[in-house]
Amino acid sequence: MSYQLFEGKDHASIYQKYRFAPPAEVKNYILQYLHKKKKPPHVLAVDLGCGTGQNSRLLAPHFQEVVAIDVSESQLEEARAVQGYPNITYSSVDLLTASSAAHWFDQPRFQAEANRVLKPQGCVALVDFTFANMRLHYQDCGERLTQIFKEVGASGYFAKNSNLRGGGCCKDS
């Protein structure tokens, strides 16, 4: 179940104007993690809950294609209005990201869909500002996913920047 709080054109316009993009350091950390798990080329990334596309545009130079998805057509209209990113469009994927939206996801359904669309050695990277006690649930590996999520978040960029939380995991095969 998704929550549709950012539907109106006025709200989407304000969101586009004032919402800050994730820091470049976060993008670099995610890409370094992906490079360790799966060597380039990186063909396709999916940005879930993309809003007006800030995170999508950060990823665009590093992938042949970025699929940006959001439930709000108003948010997507704002994202489409930004010129200069012809590889952001609408497949199994190398990287599945969500920035500032993952806490709204129905976690069991998200994990099932991530498992379905990821290529072998594909990665999931979740970035947010409210992940303090998040737990992941999927089939019988929820505890393992939560452990990986906390381990990655506790050991890297997010540990040094306490106002951010994040983590990732990769599909084995």
Side-chain angles (χ1 to χ4, degrees):
M1 173 182 188
S2 63
Y3 297 89
Q4 297 179 336
L5 301 176
F6 308 104
E7 289 299 301
K9 288 184 182 275
D10 291 339
H11 184 90
S13 177
I14 291 168
Y15 194 88
Q16 173 73 336
K17 186 174 181 180
Y18 295 109
R19 177 68 180 183
F20 53 89
E25 293 87 359
V26 172
K27 173 206 61 168
N28 293 339
Y29 183 78
I30 291 168
L31 291 172
Q32 287 170 3
Y33 184 80
L34 177 61
H35 291 334
K36 286 179 188 175
K37 300 295 180 175
K38 183 191 178 299
K39 300 296 180 206
H42 301 307
V43 177
L44 178 64
V46 177
D47 187 16
L48 302 174
C50 69
T52 57
Q54 292 93 336
N55 191 55
S56 309
R57 291 188 292 276
L58 283 176
L59 295 171
H62 306 280
F63 291 85
Q64 292 174 19
E65 182 180 5
V66 176
V67 175
I69 299 170
D70 199 281
V71 297
S72 170
E73 187 57 36
S74 295
Q75 294 279 335
L76 292 173
E77 286 175 18
E78 289 288 333
R80 289 181 192 115
V82 178
Q83 300 297 306
Y85 299 89
N87 65 326
I88 300 178
T89 61
Y90 285 89
S91 72
S92 57
V93 299
D94 295 313
L95 176 66
L96 185 62
T97 70
S99 179
S100 300
H103 59 278
W104 296 109
F105 296 171
D106 176 329
Q107 286 299 317
R109 290 176 62 193
F110 167 73
Q111 294 297 325
E113 186 63 6
N115 187 56
R116 186 184 74 78
V117 302
L118 281 173
K119 290 180 182 177
Q121 287 79 49
C123 295
V124 174
L126 304 176
V127 179
D128 207 304
F129 301 96
T130 59
F131 276 157
N133 297 309
M134 185 169 173
R135 302 189 59 74
L136 300 173
H137 304 277
Y138 179 64
Q139 295 179 354
D140 62 347
C141 63
E143 288 299 318
R144 175 77 176 119
L145 289 172
T146 299
Q147 154 117 37
I148 292 168
F149 179 83
K150 289 181 177 182
E151 181 181 315
V152 170
S155 65
Y157 178 83
F158 301 97
K160 297 173 192 135
N161 295 275
S162 60
N163 61 328
L164 293 174
R165 299 286 180 263
C169 60
C170 289
K171 187 175 180 179
D172 289 330
S173 57

